[in-house]
Amino acid sequence: MTTITITGKQPGKTDVTISSTVNPAVKTVVPVTVLSRNLLSYGPASGNGLTATVNSDGSLHVKGTASSQWAGIRWTFPCPVHGAVTLSRPTSIDGLTVSVKCIDAKGGQLGAQINTGNAGTVPAGTVSLRFEILANEATPTEKNGDLRVQLESGDTAHDWMKPDNTSLGGGAMS
C-alpha cells in the first residue's frame, strides 16, 4: 500500500484524479477545496464613526473617528474551530485595537477575549466568534489606514493570508 500526501499551496477549488493501471483499471476524481488558514470572516462595516471596506488583497481599510473610547465595529460569524488559536496583526493602525470574543448559544461571552500577541483558546460551547476593531484612545483621533488581521489554529502566527469570507456585513460596537 502506498500513501500519497497532497498539500494545498493556495486557497481555492480543484480536482484530484486518482487512477490505477492495474487490472481492473480504476479512476476516481475527488473535488478538493483548500481553505485559508485565516479563520476570520469580515466585510464592509460602518458604525460609531468608523467605516471599514475590503481592499483588493482582502485586507481591511479603516477610516473615520470613533465616537468614543472602546467604540468601533464588529462582525459575528459561526465558530470554525475549537482549541488553541493565535490572533496576529502584521499591520496596525495606532489608536485601534483588535480582538476576538467567543460567544455561546445564548449570546454570552465564553472565556477571555483573544488578543494579538498571545495564543488563546476557543472553548467548547462556542458557537460563534465576534471580531472587533475598537478605539483605545481616551479621545479618539481620525484614522485612515489598512489592517491585516489573522486568526489561525495553533499557537504560531504565520504570514497573513486573506480570509475565505470578506463579504460579511458588520456593524457598530459600543
Side-chain angles (χ1 to χ4, degrees):
M1 197 54 131
T2 303
T3 301
I4 299 171
T5 302
I6 299 170
T7 303
K9 296 292 184 181
Q10 63 186 23
K13 294 182 179 190
T14 191
D15 290 329
V16 174
T17 302
I18 302 169
S19 60
S20 168
T21 57
V22 296
N23 196 9
V26 176
K27 182 178 180 180
T28 302
V29 177
V30 179
V32 176
T33 301
V34 177
L35 300 175
S36 171
R37 80 170 62 87
N38 192 342
L39 302 172
L40 293 176
S41 291
Y42 54 68
S46 185
N48 293 315
L50 294 177
T51 298
T53 55
V54 179
N55 293 319
S56 61
D57 70 352
S59 62
L60 284 169
H61 184 79
V62 181
K63 60 191 277 185
T65 304
S67 57
S68 63
Q69 186 176 29
W70 308 121
I73 47 182
R74 69 177 176 186
W75 298 262
T76 302
F77 53 95
C79 181
V81 67
H82 292 93
V85 294
T86 300
L87 183 65
S88 59
R89 181 183 60 187
T91 61
S92 62
I93 301 172
D94 289 342
L96 296 180
T97 186
V98 299
S99 65
V100 172
K101 292 182 179 167
C102 302
I103 309 299
D104 66 18
K106 295 181 180 179
Q109 182 176 330
L110 290 172
Q113 72 181 17
I114 301 163
N115 296 306
T116 57
N118 298 316
T121 300
V122 176
T126 301
V127 297
S128 59
L129 299 178
R130 187 168 62 220
F131 171 45
E132 301 176 348
I133 300 174
L134 305 176
N136 61 11
E137 301 167 310
T139 303
T141 58
E142 186 173 357
K143 308 299 173 208
N144 188 5
D146 296 328
L147 283 174
R148 286 177 183 81
V149 183
Q150 180 160 289
L151 179 70
E152 59 188 298
S153 292
D155 59 5
T156 303
H158 295 88
D159 289 343
W160 181 84
M161 137 184 286
K162 174 184 176 178
D164 291 321
N165 184 357
T166 57
S167 61
L168 178 68
M173 177 68 204
S174 56

